[in-house]
């Protein structure tokens, strides 16, 4: 089975860097749109062209920005569109990203034409209105989405490719491409496998974290800068960080950012919260030309490590409106954060890294990207079950552990070896015959013992539960007399082969006190007495274990605050249009409520194995968005 290759758009574009976008098809009649891949998401987004201020001229965006934003989508012009509701996007909301989307279902395909990639009907699509999300998104996740009112979760684009047999495993591989390399090397996105010509393999298999929306977590052991003057350590304390292609920046601890400032002479712009670079600093950095090395591992201590090298050109990006109001600048893609749960390696990192994720095994690999103008693609399909070896999913030959030895590598046995085998076989036979002899002898002894016991006189029963053995030392009459006295009410005991037998009346049962029912009846009837509350035990989600507060849309600082709350009140006053799920015939009055809780965790989410499975749905209910855990 051949992996599915997403076609690059052959455009270099963006408002926070120069990025390689990809082409998708949405709707009927078919129209093409340029989007960016999202490793942390499972939905398809396109920019809604009919929205007011889609080209926000008030912050410096030109009036005709359709081409700059990858094309505009209008669901009213698609005959295959199934209408849903509007919701806040909430992707990376904790990083400051905002936006609203009109959700529904439509046909989605990869590439410019139907012959360049698969086409799937009834896929989740959101036409978005946002200045923060400049392009649409192609979610690469395999987790399904639960919409309130639907009996079955709605599959993601990637998961549908797997379940319908288009790809061999729940896997993808991605590198962002590098505008500064050679003659500009476009990004690469593959479902169901990887391109072995795109990276230098290593043997590390990283384990996914349990949060299915923040799963590609690595340990950054250290960060080092190398210049002609020598090496400078920028970070030496290991941290967990999430690989996230949806955002461009590196989100690192404040102390680490201070080390970058010191080493590179960069300064944080307080107004924008970014490291803007003026022309003087830019020339100094180009002359310094530092290489930055990220040393990665699966855990904070022990195990193998791998190094990802980034030249200064990977940090030399441009930023413009609408992110900067009515201005543009060069910038260094570094963001300070004091929240250890927000540490991330963004799209700038993926210019030099190649990631292969395998969701069947919940493992992934991060390797150094390779760049060549004329390298022929070497596509490798990943199986659903990886071979049990140290070979990583990103290795050039994942099935090497199962490859048999070739005939030329076999050698003949020597004469001594053959003699040893013969002697060992004879000794084994001798031991086998000896074992059989002892088993037969033991069986004959057991048979004679059983025969002797069978010749004994039978045991006589005098009273129910009272057995007397005529062969005991006491006479039969004495035992019988004792039992007769006990049945008559006398305090006597009988021994069975010397062991006292207790009469059933001697056993006392612990009978619990009677519970009053009147009080409960009064409580049920609403009396003054109140029932004790029943404590509900809930299984904590991984985010709850981290102390995360889950809060939905419309639950802002004040009552009714937020776009979600206002939208909920509007829906309460009108019936609205409801749709039937494309995967079920049943629906309810509340359709497409969705939910992902706010994350204000107090401890990091490490790359430990969790209870998540690729089939764990993302819950969308009542303008909230959270994970459903099994």
């Amino acid at each position: 089975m051949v992996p599915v290759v997403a076609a690059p758009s052959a455009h270099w574009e963006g408002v926070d860097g120069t990025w390689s976008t990809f082409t998708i098809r949405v709707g009927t009649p078919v129209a093409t749109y340029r989007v960016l891949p999202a490793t942390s998401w499972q939905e398809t987004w396109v920019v809604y062209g009919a929205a007011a201020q889609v080209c926000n001229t008030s912050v410096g965006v030109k009036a005709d920005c359709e081409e700059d934003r990858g094309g505009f989508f209008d669901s009213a012009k698609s005959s295959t569109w199934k209408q849903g509701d509007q919701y806040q996007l909430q992707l990376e909301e904790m990083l400051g990203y905002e936006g609203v989307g009109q959700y529904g279902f439509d046909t989605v395909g990869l590439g410019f034409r139907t012959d360049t990639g698969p086409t799937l009907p009834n896929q989740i699509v959101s036409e978005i209105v946002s200045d923060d999300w400049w392009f649409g998104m192609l979610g690469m996740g395999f987790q399904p989405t639960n919409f309130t009112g639907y009996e079955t979760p709605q599959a993601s684009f990637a998961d549908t490719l797997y379940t319908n047999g288009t790809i061999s495993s729940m896997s993808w591989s991605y590198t962002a491409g590098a505008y500064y390399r050679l003659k500009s090397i476009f990004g690469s996105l593959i479902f169901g496998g990887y391109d072995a010509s795109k990276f230098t393999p290593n043997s590390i298999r990283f384990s996914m974290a349990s949060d299915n929306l923040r799963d590609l977590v690595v340990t950054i052991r250290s960060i080092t800068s190398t210049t002609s003057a020598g090496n400078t350590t920028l970070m030496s304390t290991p941290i967990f960080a999430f690989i996230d292609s949806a955002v461009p920046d590196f989100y690192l601890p404040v102390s680490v950012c201070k080390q970058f400032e010191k080493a590179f002479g960069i300064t944080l712009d307080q107004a924008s919260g970014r490291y803007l670079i003026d022309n003087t600093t830019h020339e100094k950095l180009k002359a310094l030309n530092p290489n930055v090395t990220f040393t990665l591992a699966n855990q904070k201590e022990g195990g193998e490590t791998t190094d990802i090298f980034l030249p200064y050109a990977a940090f030399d990006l441009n930023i413009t409106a609408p992110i900067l109001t009515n201005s543009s600048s060069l910038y260094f893609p570094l963001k300070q954060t004091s929240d250890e749960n927000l540490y991330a390696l963004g799209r700038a990192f993926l210019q030099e890294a190649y990631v292969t994720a395998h969701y069947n095994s919940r493992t992934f690999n991060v390797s150094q990207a390779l760049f060549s103008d004329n390298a022929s693609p070497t596509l490798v399909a990943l199986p659903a079950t990886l071979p049990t070896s140290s070979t990583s999913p990103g290795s050039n030959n994942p099935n090497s552990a199962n490859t048999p030895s070739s005939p030329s590598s076999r050698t003949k046995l020597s004469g001594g070896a053959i003699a040893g085998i013969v002697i060992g076989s004879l000794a084994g036979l001798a031991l086998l015959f000896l074992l059989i002899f002892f088993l037969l002898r033991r069986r004959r002894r057991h048979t004679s013992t059983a025969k002797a016991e069978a010749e004994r006189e039978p045991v006589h029963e005098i009273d129910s539960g009272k057995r007397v053995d005529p062969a005991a030392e006491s006479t039969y009459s004495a035992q019988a007399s004792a039992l007769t006295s006990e049945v008559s009410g006398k305090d006597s005991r009988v021994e069975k082969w010397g062991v006292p037998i207790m009469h059933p009346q001697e056993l006392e049962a612990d009978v619990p006190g009677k519970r009053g029912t009147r009080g409960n009846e009064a409580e049920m009837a609403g009396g003054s007495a109140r029932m004790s509350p029943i404590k509900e035990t809930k299984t904590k989600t991984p985010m709850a274990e981290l102390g995360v507060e889950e809060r939905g849309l419309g639950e802002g600082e004040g009552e009714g605050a937020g776009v979600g709350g206002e939208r909920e009140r509007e829906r309460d006053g009108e019936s609205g249009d409801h749709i039937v799920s494309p995967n079920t015939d049943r629906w309810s009055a509340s359709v497409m409520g969705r939910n992902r809780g706010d994350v204000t965790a107090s401890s990091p989410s490490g790359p430990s194995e969790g209870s998540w499975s690729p089939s764990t749905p993302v819950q969308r209910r009542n303008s909230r968005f959270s994970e459903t855990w099994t």
Side-chain angles (χ1 to χ4, degrees):
M1 190 175 295
V2 180
V4 172
V5 179
S9 68
H11 284 68
W12 292 100
E13 51 195 338
V15 294
D16 52 13
T18 306
W19 310 113
S20 174
T21 54
F22 291 79
T23 301
I24 63 172
R25 307 184 307 274
V26 181
T28 306
V30 172
T32 58
Y33 306 90
R34 301 191 306 278
V35 299
L36 287 171
T39 56
S40 58
W41 210 239
Q42 78 285 350
E43 300 168 353
T44 300
W45 290 358
V46 282
V47 179
Y48 181 41
Q53 295 296 314
V54 63
C55 298
N56 192 354
T57 56
S58 66
V59 295
V61 177
K62 65 182 184 180
D64 183 12
C65 67
E66 179 175 1
E67 178 62 20
D68 294 341
R69 300 197 67 172
F72 289 161
F73 177 75
D74 188 351
S75 59
K77 298 178 181 179
S78 175
S79 61
T80 48
W81 173 263
K82 297 181 178 70
Q83 182 81 351
D85 281 333
Q86 294 182 11
Y87 300 98
Q88 291 184 9
L89 300 175
Q90 291 201 316
L91 174 60
E92 305 305 358
E93 187 178 47
M94 298 239 2
L95 299 179
Y97 287 80
E98 298 178 348
V100 177
Q102 171 64 58
Y103 278 78
F105 298 86
D106 211 333
T107 301
V108 178
L110 297 179
F112 297 91
R113 304 180 308 275
T114 56
D115 60 345
T116 61
T119 302
L120 303 177
N122 297 323
Q123 295 300 299
I124 298 172
V125 175
S126 179
E127 43 186 358
I128 67 170
V129 180
S130 174
D131 284 342
D132 294 331
W133 300 111
W134 185 249
F135 294 108
M137 290 283 184
L138 176 61
M140 298 156 61
F142 284 86
Q143 62 270 27
T145 302
N146 266 350
F147 287 92
T148 300
Y150 299 162
E151 287 189 337
T152 57
Q154 308 304 302
S156 66
F157 183 87
D159 186 54
T160 305
L161 289 177
Y162 176 65
T163 55
N164 68 12
T166 303
I167 56 177
S168 58
S169 62
M170 300 172 69
S171 62
W172 52 256
S173 58
Y174 173 64
T175 183
Y179 179 75
Y180 52 85
R181 288 286 191 178
L182 303 176
K183 297 178 181 180
S184 299
I185 305 299
F186 292 121
S188 173
L189 172 59
I190 299 172
F191 291 95
Y194 59 90
D195 184 349
S197 69
K198 293 288 187 181
F199 63 95
T200 301
N202 61 63
S203 61
I204 300 180
R205 283 187 183 178
F206 295 86
S207 57
M208 292 185 183
S210 57
D211 184 349
N212 63 355
L213 293 178
R214 193 178 173 85
D215 46 15
L216 303 180
V217 175
V218 298
T219 298
I220 305 177
R221 289 279 184 88
S222 65
I223 304 175
T224 306
S225 170
T226 303
T227 65
S228 58
N231 295 335
T232 301
T233 299
L234 303 175
M235 190 193 82
S236 58
T237 302
I239 62 171
F240 293 130
F242 174 50
I243 297 177
D244 186 2
S245 69
V247 297
D249 304 291
F250 296 82
Y251 287 81
L252 296 174
V254 175
S255 60
V256 177
C257 294
K258 295 294 184 182
Q259 292 299 317
F260 272 90
E261 293 176 10
K262 182 179 178 181
F264 299 155
I266 58 179
T267 304
L268 180 66
D269 178 68
Q270 298 297 329
S272 64
R274 296 181 179 275
Y275 288 93
L276 303 183
I277 307 297
D278 58 29
N279 290 332
T280 301
T281 305
H282 185 237
E283 292 301 321
K284 290 181 179 179
L285 284 171
K286 288 201 303 183
L288 187 64
N289 194 26
N291 290 323
V292 179
T293 302
F294 288 78
T295 300
L296 308 181
N298 189 43
Q299 59 277 331
K300 290 187 175 181
E301 296 180 357
E304 297 179 272
T305 63
T306 186
D307 291 335
I308 304 297
F309 301 92
L310 282 79
Y312 168 67
F315 299 90
D316 189 8
L317 303 180
N318 61 287
I319 189 170
T320 186
I323 299 177
L324 293 182
T325 301
N326 295 310
S327 65
S328 61
S329 174
L330 296 171
Y331 85 108
F332 197 94
L334 184 65
K335 297 279 283 185
Q336 296 184 3
T337 178
S338 57
D339 187 343
E340 58 189 0
N341 296 282
L342 300 182
Y343 300 155
L345 302 174
R347 200 180 310 122
F349 173 79
L350 290 167
Q351 294 174 112
E352 296 290 329
Y354 191 97
V355 177
T356 301
H358 190 270
Y359 287 83
N360 299 90
S361 64
R362 299 191 61 233
T363 59
F364 64 100
N365 174 264
V366 184
S367 297
Q368 185 75 45
L370 289 177
F371 302 95
S372 175
D373 282 329
N374 53 12
S376 299
T378 306
L379 299 182
V380 178
L382 282 171
T385 303
L386 294 177
T388 55
S389 69
S390 60
T391 308
S392 69
S395 170
N396 278 320
N397 186 10
N399 296 314
S400 60
N402 297 335
T403 303
S405 301
S406 60
S408 60
S409 65
R410 297 170 183 167
T411 57
K412 294 182 179 180
L413 293 174
S414 64
I418 295 175
I421 293 173
V422 172
I423 294 173
S425 301
L426 293 175
L429 288 174
L431 290 174
L432 179 62
F433 284 125
L434 185 61
L435 178 62
I436 293 173
F437 170 75
F438 280 112
L439 289 176
L440 291 175
R441 182 177 180 183
R442 182 178 179 182
R443 182 177 180 182
R444 286 195 297 270
R445 183 178 299 173
H446 177 72
T447 302
S448 59
T449 302
K451 182 177 180 181
E453 291 180 354
E455 294 175 352
R456 297 175 61 184
E457 296 184 34
V459 175
H460 299 271
E461 183 171 337
I462 297 179
D463 187 23
S464 178
K466 306 295 180 176
R467 294 160 58 86
V468 180
D469 184 6
E473 294 180 359
S474 303
T475 62
Y476 174 77
S477 59
Q479 295 184 58
S481 175
L483 272 177
T484 303
S485 299
E486 180 179 326
V487 173
S488 301
K490 297 180 180 179
D491 185 13
S492 58
R493 295 177 180 270
V494 177
E495 289 188 351
K496 175 182 177 181
W497 303 312
V499 179
I501 300 177
M502 298 182 66
H503 192 273
Q505 285 84 344
E506 295 178 343
L507 302 177
E508 296 182 3
D510 293 331
V511 181
K514 296 182 179 180
R515 296 182 178 180
T517 58
R518 296 291 182 183
N520 289 339
E521 292 173 358
E523 292 168 359
M524 295 294 290
S528 59
R530 301 180 61 184
M531 294 179 65
S532 299
I534 299 175
K535 183 177 181 181
E536 182 179 358
T537 302
K538 297 183 178 179
T539 302
K540 288 187 177 180
T541 67
M543 296 302 293
E545 292 174 355
L546 298 178
V548 174
E549 176 188 357
E550 297 185 352
R551 179 168 53 103
L553 306 181
E555 296 177 18
E557 297 298 331
E559 182 178 353
V563 177
E566 181 178 348
R567 192 163 55 248
E568 291 297 331
R569 291 194 298 273
E570 292 174 357
R571 285 199 297 272
D572 290 340
E574 56 186 55
S575 60
D577 294 331
H578 299 294
I579 63 174
V580 179
S581 163
N583 295 334
T584 179
D585 295 330
R586 297 186 60 184
W587 64 282
S588 72
S590 176
V591 181
M592 290 195 70
R594 81 171 193 138
N595 137 38
R596 180 181 184 196
D598 279 343
V599 283
T600 54
S602 58
S603 60
S605 175
S608 60
E609 293 291 345
S611 61
W612 174 86
S613 69
S615 61
T616 302
V618 174
Q619 198 77 306
R620 294 185 174 275
R621 178 177 299 136
N622 300 330
S623 296
R624 292 179 56 110
F625 185 82
S626 65
E627 294 78 20
T628 296
W629 304 93
T630 57

